[in-house]
Amino acid sequence: MRGLFTAGVLDVLMEHDVKFDGVIGVSAGACFGCNYKSGQIGRVIRYNKRFAADSRYCSWSSLFKTGDMFGADFCYRELPLELDVFDSNAFAANPIEFHVVATDCEDGKPVYRRLERADDAAFRWIQASASMPLVSRPVEIDGRHYLDGGLSDGIPLRYFESIGYERNVVITTRPHGYRKFPRKTTCLLKPFMRRYPAIYQALKTRHLWYNKALEYIDERVASGHAFLIAPKEPLPISRVCHDPDVMQRVYDIGRSAGEEGLQCMRF
């Protein structure tokens, strides 16, 4: 739900007709960032508030019944195809490249996928990118299984530069200066990760590459190759939230950061 900050930033950029050559999103950044390519201002905050209390969208009952806390059929079929329709035609027509990151369950490595059409396959990749361990089932695509891209490359600036994007705007949902520390409780997850030991290893070492990614962002910002938009303080929301007012507050913080960023960006 910290991704609602990102949604606020992106809506401001769209309102000011700011266009990029490419976008890459991870986890909530994939779920919400795809609306940038479809040009649907306000859609993310609208449907999150509308379905905040809907057990089909996000709930413990959904986890027990389906294996996914965020109901897969509801989130990746019913919602975008029927309830708050995702503009697949606009997505396909927009020349902006859109990429997502997922983590391969077998080797724990990031997989980068460019999505050109908003079809069933694309929604599967977006679902995979946002499927957190333990509260989501691994997503099977072409015979392999994937989980949240944040396990292996949550801030893929290096990758985007490697495919030709030389100047980038990076949006993070943690304040500048934040650093991740190893969790003492990670060892408790080992029995649940027997089938996917590489995912368990990714969880154990995530703080190492994550902090290196943050240091690299600082280097690229200092050299003028990247521009960072981040909240000034920790966002007042947890990973799961059912309160529309809290959602709106975080979205508005993102809008303010987007407006402030526009004053400083150089295109």
Side-chain angles (χ1 to χ4, degrees):
M1 288 291 100
R2 289 196 306 271
L4 290 171
F5 170 86
T6 303
V9 174
L10 294 181
D11 279 356
V12 167
L13 296 179
M14 285 192 282
E15 289 167 0
H16 287 81
D17 200 32
V18 176
K19 293 182 173 65
F20 298 98
D21 297 317
V23 175
I24 187 165
V26 186
S27 196
C31 293
F32 299 164
C34 59
N35 294 274
Y36 191 87
K37 182 171 167 63
S38 67
Q40 292 178 273
I41 300 171
R43 180 174 178 269
V44 172
I45 186 61
R46 180 176 66 239
Y47 77 69
N48 272 279
K49 291 173 64 176
R50 178 182 173 187
F51 298 110
D54 194 315
S55 63
R56 298 170 300 168
Y57 182 43
C58 175
S59 66
W60 287 107
S61 64
S62 175
L63 176 63
F64 296 142
K65 291 178 181 178
T66 70
D68 295 294
M69 178 169 280
F70 286 86
D73 184 69
F74 182 81
C75 292
Y76 300 102
R77 185 194 62 79
E78 188 173 357
L79 197 161
L81 298 183
E82 300 173 12
L83 301 177
D84 197 319
V85 178
F86 184 77
D87 195 336
S88 298
N89 291 331
F91 183 94
N94 192 329
I96 294 174
E97 291 188 3
F98 183 71
H99 303 247
V100 300
V101 186
T103 301
D104 190 307
C105 290
E106 303 300 329
D107 59 21
K109 294 181 179 180
V111 176
Y112 308 93
R113 181 68 54 166
R114 178 182 173 185
L115 306 180
E116 299 183 35
R117 295 177 299 278
D119 53 16
D120 290 342
F123 288 141
R124 292 286 285 175
W125 278 108
I126 292 172
Q127 179 188 350
S129 181
S131 292
M132 298 178 290
L134 298 184
V135 295
S136 306
R137 293 170 296 172
V139 178
E140 183 177 353
I141 304 174
D142 297 331
R144 296 191 72 84
H145 294 86
Y146 302 92
L147 282 170
D148 199 304
L151 296 170
S152 54
D153 193 0
I155 315 176
L157 176 59
R158 285 183 185 271
Y159 171 75
F160 230 35
E161 290 181 336
S162 77
I163 62 172
Y165 291 93
E166 298 177 351
R167 300 179 69 220
N168 296 279
V169 174
V170 180
I171 304 173
T172 66
T173 60
R174 299 286 194 179
H176 180 245
Y178 169 84
R179 291 296 184 269
K180 192 176 292 293
F181 295 93
R183 291 187 174 184
K184 296 180 180 179
T185 56
T186 300
C187 61
L188 301 177
L189 303 179
K190 190 172 183 178
F192 301 97
M193 297 283 106
R194 288 175 181 171
R195 185 177 177 184
Y196 300 114
I199 294 297
Y200 176 67
Q201 187 63 27
L203 287 166
K204 283 181 58 179
T205 59
R206 185 181 178 218
H207 64 286
L208 299 174
W209 66 255
Y210 187 90
N211 291 339
K212 288 182 179 179
L214 293 175
E215 292 169 3
Y216 184 70
I217 290 171
D218 288 345
E219 293 174 9
R220 301 306 281 169
V221 169
S223 67
H225 290 88
F227 184 86
L228 176 64
I229 298 179
K232 296 179 180 179
E233 300 176 351
L235 295 172
I237 196 169
S238 60
R239 290 181 177 178
V240 175
C241 177
H242 301 287
D243 188 332
D245 292 335
V246 174
M247 292 178 173
Q248 184 68 51
R249 192 179 312 145
V250 172
Y251 171 80
D252 288 341
I253 292 172
R255 288 192 60 88
S256 296
E259 294 283 2
E260 185 174 330
L262 278 173
Q263 306 304 314
C264 305
M265 287 185 198
R266 296 293 182 270
F267 298 100

